[in-house]
Amino acid sequence: MARLSSHARRILAMWLVSTAVAIPLIIWVLGPHLPPGDMTAEASDQTSANIVLTAVCAPIVLLILVYFGYALVVFRASGGQIEDGAPIRGHAPTQTLWLVLTSATVLALAVWGSLVLVVSAHGAGGGQGPNPIDPPAGAKEALQVQVIGQQWNWTYRFPGYGAIETAHLDLPADRLVEFHVTSLDVTHSFWAYELGVKADAVPGVDNIAFVHTRKPGSFSIRCAELCGLWHGHMYQTGQVVSTAGFASWMASEQKAEALNKKYLPPYSGHYYPEPQRRAG
Amino acid sequence: MRRLVRLNLRTAIAFGIAGFFLGAWVGREIAAGHDYLIGTDQDDVAVFMGFLFATIGWLAGLGFFNYPVSRLLGRPAGYPVEEAKGTARYFRMSTDHKVIGIQYFFGVGAFFLIGGLNAMLIRTELLTPNEKAFPAGQYLTLVGLHGTMMIMMTSAFILGPFGNYFVPLMIGARRMAFPRIEAMTFWLTPLAGLVLMSAIAWNGFPTGWTGYAPLADQARAGMDAYIFAFMLIGISLCLNGLNLMATILTMRAPGMTWTRLPIFVWGVLSTSILMVLASPVLLAALLMGMLDRTANTGFYLASTGGSAYLYENLFWFFGHPEVYILALPGFGIVLEILPVFTRKPLWGYKLAVAGMLGVAFLSFFVWQHHLFVSGINSTLRPFYMLTTEMISVPTGIIFLNGIGTLWLAKMRYTVPMLFSLAFFFNFLIGGLSGIFLSDVPSDVTTHGSYFTMAHFHYTIMGGLVFAFFAATYYWLPKMTGLVLNEKLGKIHFWTMFVFFNLTFFPLFAAGFLDMPRRVSTYAPHLQVINDLVSSAAFCLGISMLIFVGNLIYSLVFARIPAEQNPWHSRGLEWQVPTPVPLHNFDEIPEITGDPYDYGVPGAPPVARLRPASAPARAR
């Protein structure tokens, strides 16, 4: 390769210095604040994905900013005259290098993302449909929780506890949870922010998402798919509590919901509601 | 008929309204015998039939049926005689591509401003964490109208005005391949805008621009307006794409080889491929939605054996190429403008062409990234993650072209150049934030949140709309024959660039802090961000008014005639006189050089405008 011109050397130096400053800042200063935190294993995986992606994007942003900034200052016409620039039509080594570098980055990101998704995070907390390809180890013993979306609230059924229905969601800490998300009317999306769970609630579909809770705390639950008038009001706060706390919460819920139980339809992966045409 | 009544916009509106009531009556007669339609307080069949007849009336009122009818009656064919001057020609059907370009510019621009006004109202509501300014239903209608209007109108934002006006001029043709179809693609667009806005008369629609079933099945008659308006736009896009494609493939002047084709025309060609292939899928999706609402079918209803996923897949099979229908013309514009103001050849021309065609090709293989958490077959997620991330390779090529073209340049900071440079900055942020959304673990956090919303506003507004303004300041002097005020243009640019970024960058943070899209109620701790965003958004709105003021000042009051080639461009479109004569070129020109040979010693002129009279090549 030919010797780099002084322009290229300066740009390269500025880029290297700014990247060397930016990446540690992203990882150690910004990183801990990136969502969704570390309440569950899946949330940690998402947080580290967000940190890695920000760190990968930083050199690209800086390259463009440094280059354009330099070019805007240096490669400008002097005065109001119209002068011609250097008639360069291309530079094959640069073009090849660029294509190789971008392709390699993209392939690396895709391979890494797939590995996180399938091997380490087991679906990364996202809804995987009725037949998850990569259930985590110990899925058979997971706590089953059915999440039912309807306009405009969430309710929960626990098939392992007599299929009772509750209006709030408490989960035990350090436990694998298997969410079965479904809907009674239109498409919703169950978004438990700090848990790192997002799964669409679709009528007639049992959408499964796994999450491994770690430590106690509260998490917010929202609807992430437009579902009509009070979409923004499908908002709850759930709790991750200790195993003993969960047992006592469940006991009190079972007592409180005992009367309601006989009005509930039999537990099912999904329910076929009557079609709702035109609110009339 | 044409001799009795002057057919123009007035007759179109009159016939359209008459058609609506006739159609609504027909629809009520059809629906009268069907039980399932009784018991609702509205009649979707009547609304759809009304829209259908209104469309026929609108087109008849403009004179679109005169030609086929006179051919059926055995009368001779012929183009309507065009008047070269006067503003009345902009308000009737015209087959002159230059008139249609200007019709598109002002027609689509007006609806763009309406869509922008909706955004201002949305930001007003979001000043407070609870419903204050609008009831929830009205807020959702505003969101839906803003989104749908913007997607519908910005699909034609560059190809409409500049594609129709400049593609024939840039390839050395006197007209487009199908001038009547060209006229129809335009006249369907304002009709679609009016039909969409009529949703307000039926209490709006709740679905946003995506129109997801089964919420759409549940919605009231405003949904019919959404479905019909989007269908009209689908037809318009498909026809526009066919027309542009046929023009570029068949009507290039002698010597206009594929490697001399201006890069903007390549952008238009790759976009038109997407338009032709993607919009029929939208039509199919909407047609099934229409049948669900009128004929009691159950395509999208799980309880009758249908599936909501059918709509989601069909919609995004259109919807993702659609976002490249918005982006690719922008790539074409900025790469067309950079060489002019750097006084350099376009760096890596062939690579840029490959990049655009690569984006067009890949855009059909990525749509399920919108459905990563929807519960469809999760086996496919790594595949769609790969294809989605791969699309950044051809997109990255466009950045490399920009980098190479700026290298050792002699840049002039004119207004079109400033907008083109800002395009790269905005699209960089828009594109890189897309990487988060394409990575499934990160998408679980960001999907359906304000992060997504900020991402696509950076690509569409930061990309397409900035490119639109670059093209406007670059080409409007040729289109109108009048100079646009440079100082107002620079004020417009700086206010728009600064407040665009202040509006949308904080929304990435709002999304990271768990604010879902399309809500009118949000967590109180997000109020600071939202108030900051709203204030910036209002200033962004004011910057649009500066542009409108500039247009009015320059085109109505100042009226300074533009030079033939004010930017000293080599482009063929600048070699014809200003204003452009009715048939563009006296003779079909012969292309003799590369459009970007700036500073190349001994470069031939781009074209011989009178090849027949040139002594060397007698015919």
Side-chain angles (χ1 to χ4, degrees):
Chain A
M1 209 165 148
R3 260 189 29 237
L4 289 170
S5 73
S6 59
H7 292 307
R9 268 204 308 272
R10 267 176 248 151
I11 291 169
L12 204 62
M14 282 192 275
W15 175 59
L16 286 175
V17 170
S18 55
T19 305
V21 174
I23 287 187
L25 283 178
I26 285 170
I27 294 175
W28 284 293
V29 180
L30 179 66
H33 300 286
L34 284 177
D38 57 355
M39 187 179 271
T40 64
E42 285 73 10
S44 298
D45 280 320
Q46 292 168 28
T47 308
S48 51
N50 286 331
I51 295 172
V52 169
L53 290 175
T54 315
V56 170
C57 287
I60 304 171
V61 172
L62 288 169
L63 175 68
I64 301 289
L65 286 186
V66 165
Y67 178 84
F68 273 65
Y70 186 89
L72 258 57
V73 174
V74 177
F75 301 141
R76 58 196 299 174
S78 50
Q81 290 166 302
I82 293 170
E83 323 160 56
D84 287 332
I88 319 163
R89 288 173 192 283
H91 186 244
T94 313
Q95 282 160 290
T96 315
L97 182 71
W98 180 274
L99 283 180
V100 169
L101 282 181
T102 49
S103 307
T105 314
V106 158
L107 281 177
L109 279 179
V111 169
W112 167 76
S114 303
L115 285 177
V116 171
L117 175 67
V118 180
V119 180
S120 80
H122 299 288
Q128 301 191 55
N131 306 303
I133 40 163
D134 41 12
K140 287 214 176 86
E141 290 81 43
L143 172 68
Q144 309 264 321
V145 181
Q146 184 173 48
V147 180
I148 302 168
Q150 57 186 310
Q151 288 169 322
W152 287 274
N153 212 345
W154 301 106
T155 46
Y156 311 91
R157 291 187 77 171
F158 292 82
Y161 295 86
I164 64 152
E165 187 173 69
T166 67
H168 300 282
L169 181 59
D170 274 23
L171 295 171
D174 199 19
R175 178 86 193 265
L176 183 66
V177 181
E178 184 176 339
F179 285 115
H180 295 259
V181 184
T182 189
S183 165
L184 298 184
D185 36 46
V186 302
T187 304
H188 306 270
S189 190
F190 176 68
W191 182 14
Y193 173 68
E194 283 89 350
L195 296 187
V197 171
K198 195 175 277 155
D200 280 11
V202 183
V205 175
D206 179 19
N207 191 8
I208 296 174
F210 291 98
V211 74
H212 199 291
T213 60
R214 275 181 182 158
K215 53 184 190 186
S218 63
F219 55 90
S220 59
I221 297 165
R222 295 177 189 283
C223 178
E225 188 59 67
L226 182 54
C227 57
L229 273 191
W230 305 110
H231 164 56
H233 288 253
M234 290 184 71
Y235 173 50
Q236 293 181 2
T237 306
Q239 309 283 339
V240 175
V241 295
S242 64
T243 313
F246 179 75
S248 68
W249 175 77
M250 184 50 79
S252 69
E253 286 290 321
Q254 274 177 316
K255 210 167 144 194
E257 299 292 329
L259 279 175
N260 281 340
K261 224 192 126 192
K262 63 181 172 210
Y263 300 110
L264 290 174
Y267 180 84
S268 160
H270 46 72
Y271 307 91
Y272 283 116
E274 283 298 299
Q276 281 199 332
R277 298 171 190 280
R278 270 75 82 222
Chain B
M1 185 74 184
R2 196 159 44 208
R3 282 180 202 94
L4 291 177
V5 191
R6 284 298 265 169
L7 293 177
N8 57 21
L9 183 60
R10 260 194 300 253
T11 48
I13 292 171
F15 286 24
I17 291 173
F20 180 82
F21 286 107
L22 179 66
W25 174 75
V26 171
R28 265 193 294 278
E29 292 298 308
I30 294 173
H34 296 282
D35 286 348
Y36 63 86
L37 290 165
I38 301 168
T40 60
D41 60 344
Q42 60 192 30
D43 189 341
D44 298 296
V45 180
V47 175
F48 274 118
M49 290 305 274
F51 285 144
L52 183 64
F53 278 60
T55 307
I56 295 168
W58 168 269
L59 293 178
L62 285 161
F64 276 95
F65 299 117
N66 293 1
Y67 171 79
V69 167
S70 67
R71 293 291 286 176
L72 279 173
L73 297 174
R75 301 209 182 108
Y79 289 102
V81 182
E82 296 287 348
E83 301 126 85
K85 292 216 157 35
T87 45
R89 65 194 158 135
Y90 297 116
F91 294 95
R92 66 171 71 108
M93 176 194 169
S94 170
T95 49
D96 179 0
H97 71 93
K98 298 183 288 297
V99 173
I100 293 170
I102 288 176
Q103 284 172 333
Y104 254 120
F105 182 84
F106 287 99
V108 170
F111 284 106
F112 174 75
L113 291 178
I114 292 173
L117 199 61
N118 289 333
M120 296 296 107
L121 296 177
I122 291 170
R123 287 316 316 177
T124 310
E125 169 63 61
L126 292 175
L127 282 168
T128 55
N130 287 305
E131 285 91 7
K132 276 263 169 62
F134 301 101
Q138 277 184 22
Y139 176 79
L140 280 188
T141 300
L142 280 175
V143 171
L145 280 179
H146 167 72
T148 318
M149 187 68 87
M150 286 303 196
I151 293 287
M152 282 178 15
M153 293 304 153
T154 53
S155 304
F157 216 21
I158 286 177
L159 258 56
F162 307 116
N164 282 304
Y165 198 107
F166 286 105
V167 163
L169 282 172
M170 291 171 112
I171 64 173
R174 283 180 169 159
R175 59 177 178 87
M176 293 274 279
F178 308 113
R180 283 186 198 84
I181 284 182
E182 189 191 10
M184 193 157 105
T185 59
F186 167 70
W187 283 106
L188 287 178
T189 310
L191 178 65
L194 293 174
V195 168
L196 180 71
M197 289 206 297
S198 76
I200 301 167
W202 285 282
N203 289 324
F205 61 97
T207 59
W209 85 277
T210 46
Y212 266 22
L215 185 61
D217 288 278
Q218 191 195 63
R220 296 166 67 92
M223 204 66 220
D224 301 338
Y226 162 90
I227 291 177
F228 200 85
F230 225 160
M231 282 173 126
L232 288 178
I233 285 293
I235 293 168
S236 170
L237 285 181
C238 187
L239 292 177
N240 200 5
L242 274 174
N243 198 2
L244 287 163
M245 199 189 289
T247 308
I248 297 167
L249 290 180
T250 61
M251 295 179 69
R252 282 167 295 126
M256 180 56 86
T257 56
W258 289 114
T259 50
R260 281 176 181 167
L261 200 63
I263 199 71
F264 173 64
V265 181
W266 273 112
V268 171
L269 183 63
S270 43
T271 314
S272 63
I273 296 169
L274 296 184
M275 285 171 151
V276 170
L277 293 180
S279 31
V281 182
L282 172 74
L283 280 178
L286 293 172
L287 191 66
M288 284 188 265
M290 185 176 92
L291 290 172
D292 272 8
R293 291 177 59 81
T294 54
N296 210 20
T297 56
F299 289 108
Y300 304 139
L301 296 172
S303 48
T304 53
S307 167
Y309 293 131
L310 177 60
Y311 182 81
E312 292 179 12
N313 275 301
L314 287 174
F315 182 82
W316 286 115
F317 188 82
F318 154 78
H320 207 82
E322 163 68 20
V323 305
Y324 290 101
I325 291 175
L326 302 174
L328 279 170
F331 295 170
I333 296 270
V334 294
L335 294 186
E336 183 71 34
I337 287 175
L338 280 189
V340 178
F341 297 108
T342 53
R343 304 296 300 174
K344 284 188 66 204
L346 175 62
W347 196 91
Y349 173 92
K350 286 183 184 166
L351 205 58
V353 172
M356 288 180 178
L357 294 175
V359 168
F361 176 76
L362 275 176
S363 71
F364 283 103
F365 299 89
V366 299
W367 82 92
Q368 280 201 353
H369 65 220
H370 297 270
L371 307 173
F372 274 154
V373 297
S374 71
I376 49 164
N377 192 343
S378 51
T379 326
L380 291 168
R381 292 195 295 186
F383 171 75
Y384 284 100
M385 190 174 352
L386 175 68
T387 53
T388 307
E389 287 173 2
M390 260 162 62
I391 214 162
S392 47
V393 175
T395 314
I397 290 175
I398 307 300
F399 278 86
L400 182 67
N401 296 127
I403 289 174
T405 309
L406 293 188
W407 184 249
L408 301 178
K410 299 283 183 192
M411 252 187 278
R412 287 180 288 160
Y413 297 123
T414 57
V415 184
M417 184 66 173
L418 291 174
F419 274 104
S420 305
L421 291 169
F423 172 96
F424 282 98
F425 177 79
N426 297 337
F427 207 86
L428 177 72
I429 297 178
L432 289 177
S433 56
I435 299 213
F436 289 77
L437 294 162
S438 68
D439 181 81
V440 179
S442 179
D443 183 63
V444 174
T445 304
T446 46
H447 172 87
S449 75
Y450 258 76
F451 188 94
T452 311
M453 186 273 201
H455 156 71
F456 68 74
H457 278 85
Y458 258 96
T459 54
I460 296 177
M461 182 155 189
L464 170 93
V465 177
F466 273 75
F468 166 81
F469 282 119
T472 300
Y473 283 99
Y474 181 62
W475 274 327
L476 214 60
K478 184 52 107 186
M479 294 167 79
T480 60
L482 299 170
V483 172
L484 283 179
N485 187 291
E486 170 114 12
K487 189 167 263 175
L488 280 172
K490 283 195 171 154
I491 297 173
H492 168 217
F493 167 75
W494 283 111
T495 48
M496 182 170 164
F497 179 68
V498 169
F499 290 114
F500 164 77
N501 279 289
L502 283 179
T503 302
F504 290 104
F505 203 81
L507 290 179
F508 286 118
F512 265 164
L513 294 169
D514 89 332
M515 182 162 168
R517 287 168 67 186
R518 297 153 161 175
V519 293
S520 50
T521 310
Y522 56 84
H525 66 268
L526 293 172
Q527 193 176 2
V528 178
I529 291 184
N530 274 290
D531 286 358
L532 176 76
V533 167
S534 287
S535 327
F538 297 141
C539 298
L540 184 60
I542 291 170
S543 87
M544 293 294 153
L545 292 183
I546 296 173
F547 169 69
V548 174
N550 191 1
L551 270 192
I552 295 172
Y553 170 76
S554 306
L555 301 186
V556 180
F557 296 107
R559 295 193 71 83
I560 304 164
E563 296 165 47
Q564 179 184 321
N565 190 356
W567 314 115
H568 305 275
S569 164
R570 277 180 61 89
L572 180 58
E573 77 274 24
W574 294 101
Q575 313 308 320
V576 296
T578 302
V580 184
L582 184 57
H583 289 295
N584 300 353
F585 304 98
D586 293 336
E587 296 165 37
I588 295 296
E590 189 187 316
I591 311 300
T592 48
D594 191 296
Y596 307 116
D597 269 355
Y598 299 99
V600 178
V606 71
R608 250 201 306 264
L609 291 178
R610 294 179 180 281
S613 31
R617 289 175 70 95
R619 291 231 165 145

